[in-house]
């Protein structure tokens, strides 16, 4: 048998006999003739089975979405039948052989456009949903965006480093997902809300420029643009100013999205103070695009800076606005150290917004133990509580931790902007449903008695259930 030719390369093979493999996209049985559209990852091509062809018997039985290998001759289509604007619209395959590699049940919904199909049905058959052109485009675009970001960062001397998934609860501000320990019954790991502390420790360790495509897991209420799991392009740099971190990210995004053919509304990205954003837009994330720019898919990135470092929580106590590890702006360091003028302390914090979403956020960090301690004292922690919470960070900071800062970009929110999607689930391969049910598989589900026994756990009804 001939070697496999990708459908997208058939145009260069006119007159030759080739073999393709893929799926039956469409079958049109016209009695004497059977027409097909065949599909592989590179595109679509029309096939025709002529009367008397050896492939006719198979052609009569084959069904939509069957997996096939087809042998045939690549013919230029008569001028009048050329389908302009269609991939491979000017050639067709005269099918001489058709082998079914695996037959397919009838899909539960049309794979042309799945956007109106019930969410739970799409989730159950996510592997079919993902065959739809829109999902193929979104997931491939996500991969391309990530690939280009990686390439940019490697070129700038960054090192990609993975950090643990089973870890200690971090003070990131959301509820943790926890994992029971079999070796230490009654004790629990937490899944990372972000690699914040590990990436700072990598600065102590002397890597200077770190990044990772990190999974962040937060037990938050689900919304259109927020799931339990998301991916962050997480990054940290040593010996840098706020300006240098922002420049690195701005240059990466500009390079990557322009290479991908997108138009930016403004270069350099506008900078807006938190106070001005609240005055002008009533929020710290905003959409600067005109209606025409929205229609044209323009990307309107902007930086929001000068955030208050603290706000009052429900009990009237000071708490951090973004990240307890942030440094105050240099001119406000003295206030923090003295615990004065708390409401006026601004953080060296920067958020990246685009088209109405917060797509990233980061800060310069408090790299000296006494500064981080001061933050915790403002938040009302006694010294022993500070040690208990972040003693390991304070210890590390005493061993020559350089000044450092970083940022995390939300991959899904960035891809939502690139694709124009309004739901996070359209840019993740296997998202959860709105009710927190996994795609295809059926988590969460009960553990067996044996598993519970090994973990030393027993399940009791929840107070509010
Ligand atoms: N860890 C922060 C977050 O997940 C980002 C950062 O400050 O680098 O929001």
């Amino acid at each position: 048998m001939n070697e496999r030719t990708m459908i997208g390369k058939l145009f260069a093979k006119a007159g030759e006999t080739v073999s393709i493999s893929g799926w039956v996209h469409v079958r049109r049985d016209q009695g004497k003739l059977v027409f097909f559209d065949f599909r592989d990852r590179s595109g679509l091509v029309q096939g025709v089975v002529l009367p008397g062809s050896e492939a006719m018997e198979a052609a009569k039985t084959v069904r939509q979405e069957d997996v096939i290998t087809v042998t045939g001759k690549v013919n230029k289509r008569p001028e009048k039948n050329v389908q302009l604007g269609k991939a491979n619209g000017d050639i067709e395959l005269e099918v001489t052989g058709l082998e079914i590699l695996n037959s397919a049940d009838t899909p539960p919904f049309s794979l042309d456009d799945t956007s109106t199909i019930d969410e739970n049905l799409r989730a159950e058959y996510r592997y079919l949903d993902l065959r739809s052109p829109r999902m193929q485009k979104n997931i491939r675009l996500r991969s391309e965006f990530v690939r280009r970001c990686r390439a940019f960062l490697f070129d700038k001397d960054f090192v990609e480093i993975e950090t643990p998934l089973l870890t200690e609860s971090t003070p990131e501000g959301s509820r943790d997902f926890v994992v029971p320990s079999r070796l230490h019954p009654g004790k629990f790991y937490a899944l990372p809300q972000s690699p914040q502390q590990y990436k700072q420790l990598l600065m102590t360790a002397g890597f200077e420029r770190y990044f990772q495509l990190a999974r962040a897991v937060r037990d938050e209420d689900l919304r259109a643009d927020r799931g339990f799991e998301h991916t962050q392009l997480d990054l940290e740099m040593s010996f840098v100013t706020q300006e240098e971190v922002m420049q690195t990210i701005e240059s990466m995004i500009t390079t990557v999205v322009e290479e991908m053919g997108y138009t930016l509304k403004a270069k350099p990205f506008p900078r807006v103070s938190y106070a001005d954003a609240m005055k002008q837009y009533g929020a710290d994330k905003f959409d600067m695009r005109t209606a025409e720019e929205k229609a044209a898919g323009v990307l309107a990135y902007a930086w929001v800076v000068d955030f208050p470092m603290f706000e009052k929580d429900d009990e009237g106590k000071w708490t951090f606005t973004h990240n307890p590890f942030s440094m105050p702006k240099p001119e406000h360091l003295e206030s923090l150290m003295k615990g004065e003028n708390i409401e006026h302390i601004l953080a060296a914090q920067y958020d990246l917004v685009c088209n109405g979403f917060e797509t990233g956020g980061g800060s310069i960090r408090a790299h000296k133990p006494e500064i981080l301690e001061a933050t915790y004292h403002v938040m009302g922690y006694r010294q022993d509580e500070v040690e208990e919470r972040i003693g390991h960070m304070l210890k590390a900071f005493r061993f020559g931790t350089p000044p450092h800062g970083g940022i995390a970009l939300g991959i899904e929110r960035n891809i939502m902007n690139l694709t124009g999607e309004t739901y996070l689930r359209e840019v993740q391969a296997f998202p959860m449903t709105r009710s927190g049910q996994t795609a295809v598989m059926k988590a969460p589900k009960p553990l067996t008695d044996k598993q519970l026994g090994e973990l030393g756990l027993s399940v009791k009804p929840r107070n509010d259930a």
Side-chain angles (χ1 to χ4, degrees), residues 223-368:
R223 290 195 314 230
D225 66 337
R226 198 163 72 183
F228 288 150
E229 287 183 50
H230 70 276
T231 304
Q232 299 183 336
L233 193 154
D234 192 46
L235 175 151
E236 198 76 8
M237 305 168 79
S238 291
F239 304 108
V240 282
T241 58
Q242 168 167 342
E243 197 54 41
E244 285 165 314
V245 181
M246 291 165 73
Q247 278 304 334
T248 303
I249 290 300
E250 184 162 335
S251 152
M252 180 188 79
I253 295 220
T254 303
T255 306
V256 167
V257 301
E258 287 189 340
E259 276 174 4
M260 289 173 74
Y262 290 90
T263 305
L264 292 166
K265 180 175 169 93
K267 286 192 292 186
F269 301 168
R271 313 248 170 130
V272 185
S273 73
Y274 171 77
D276 285 346
M278 294 309 283
K279 230 180 281 161
Q280 203 176 334
Y281 303 101
D284 57 1
K285 40 184 175 286
F286 42 82
D287 197 339
M288 302 177 304
R289 294 169 303 166
T290 60
E292 296 82 65
E293 287 167 338
K294 273 189 198 186
V298 168
L299 299 168
Y301 284 96
W303 291 104
V304 184
V305 293
D306 293 347
F307 287 91
M309 186 146 168
F310 298 99
E311 63 189 2
K312 288 270 171 81
D313 67 13
D314 296 342
E315 295 162 20
K317 288 200 303 199
W318 289 115
T319 183
F320 59 86
T321 60
H322 282 77
N323 192 326
F325 299 104
S326 297
M327 186 77 119
K329 292 192 78 179
E331 58 272 31
H332 296 167
L333 182 57
E334 201 184 322
S335 296
L336 177 75
M337 297 312 287
K338 290 185 176 161
E340 292 172 358
N341 287 324
I342 305 302
E343 65 274 29
H344 295 124
I345 298 178
L346 298 179
Q349 166 83 32
Y350 29 90
D351 276 6
L352 185 63
V353 300
C354 180
N355 297 3
F357 289 114
E358 182 197 323
T359 59
S363 64
I364 297 298
R365 325 296 184 186
H367 65 287
K368 292 190 176 178

Side-chain angles (χ1 to χ4, degrees), residues 25-70:
H25 191 65
V26 177
R27 190 179 78 112
R28 288 181 299 276
D29 192 339
Q30 298 194 350
K32 282 191 193 149
L33 300 175
V34 184
F35 287 96
F36 289 98
D37 285 348
F38 298 117
R39 181 183 82 235
D40 69 13
R41 66 173 194 271
S42 67
L44 290 174
V45 67
Q46 170 157 297
V48 56
V49 182
L50 300 174
S53 163
E54 280 180 24
M56 188 53 91
E57 201 184 318
K60 289 283 177 187
T61 57
V62 95
R63 292 161 47 115
Q64 197 196 336
E65 296 305 313
D66 279 355
V67 185
I68 37 81
T69 287
V70 176

Side-chain angles (χ1 to χ4, degrees), residues 6 44 60 86 120 126 158 171 194 220 227 246 291 299 307 372 377 387 404 442 451:
M6 294 311 299
L44 290 174
K60 289 283 177 187
K86 233 182 151 182
N120 294 314
R126 185 62 167 179
F158 280 81
S194 88
E220 296 180 308
M246 291 165 73
L299 299 168
F307 287 91
L372 186 55
H377 291 153
E387 280 298 331
H404 61 280
K442 293 201 173 50
Q451 288 172 309

Side-chain angles (χ1 to χ4, degrees), residues 146-161 209-213 233 235 248 252:
V146 165
R147 175 175 65 78
R148 290 178 186 275
C149 290
R150 271 204 170 96
F152 180 95
L153 294 172
F154 284 136
D155 193 50
K156 298 275 181 295
D157 221 16
F158 280 81
V159 184
E160 185 171 9
I161 307 177
R209 291 181 162 216
Y210 139 95
F211 84 97
Q212 157 177 217
L213 270 302
L233 193 154
L235 175 151
T248 303
M252 180 188 79

Side-chain angles (χ1 to χ4, degrees), residues 137-154:
K137 175 177 138 270
N138 290 357
I139 301 298
R140 288 175 190 279
L141 189 134
R142 176 177 173 145
S143 169
E144 187 187 346
F145 177 78
V146 165
R147 175 175 65 78
R148 290 178 186 275
C149 290
R150 271 204 170 96
F152 180 95
L153 294 172
F154 284 136

